[in-house]
Amino acid sequence: MGPEQLAQATHDLAKRSAQFQLHRRDDLTRQNFPLIYAVGMASPLAPRLIDWTWGDPAHPKVTLVGKGVCFDTGGLDLKPSSGMLIMKKDMGGPPTCWRWR
């Protein structure tokens, strides 16, 4: 599943009970996500940031960062070659960023 298919599947699911926003291409830089844009611009598959919101806004907010959900879509490789040896572990672990507000 590439970035476009993941965004479409998320959009379809969000129609049921959530708010959906999609940031891609130049919109990523306008919305202050320049690194997502910079890494993904080398790929023929445009990067996307999916913002999916549901529930009571008064409740605590949980943010899950699913970096690399569509791994190896042709973006720039920022890791040194030694870092690639543990990539499967990196991609298979728990979310790398949990932020509670």
Side-chain angles (χ1 to χ4, degrees), residues 4-55:
E4 184 175 352
Q5 292 82 16
L6 179 63
Q8 186 61 52
T10 305
H11 180 258
D12 293 346
L13 187 59
K15 285 181 193 177
R16 297 179 190 177
S17 64
Q19 297 172 348
F20 175 87
Q21 255 190 317
L22 180 65
H23 304 283
R24 61 179 169 214
R25 296 188 180 86
D26 294 337
D27 187 37
L28 289 167
T29 56
R30 283 192 296 274
Q31 297 296 325
N32 200 24
F33 299 107
L35 292 177
I36 296 172
Y37 176 81
V39 170
M41 70 183 199
S43 173
L45 306 174
R48 287 147 172 86
L49 180 121
I50 300 167
D51 186 354
W52 199 45
T53 306
W54 75 97

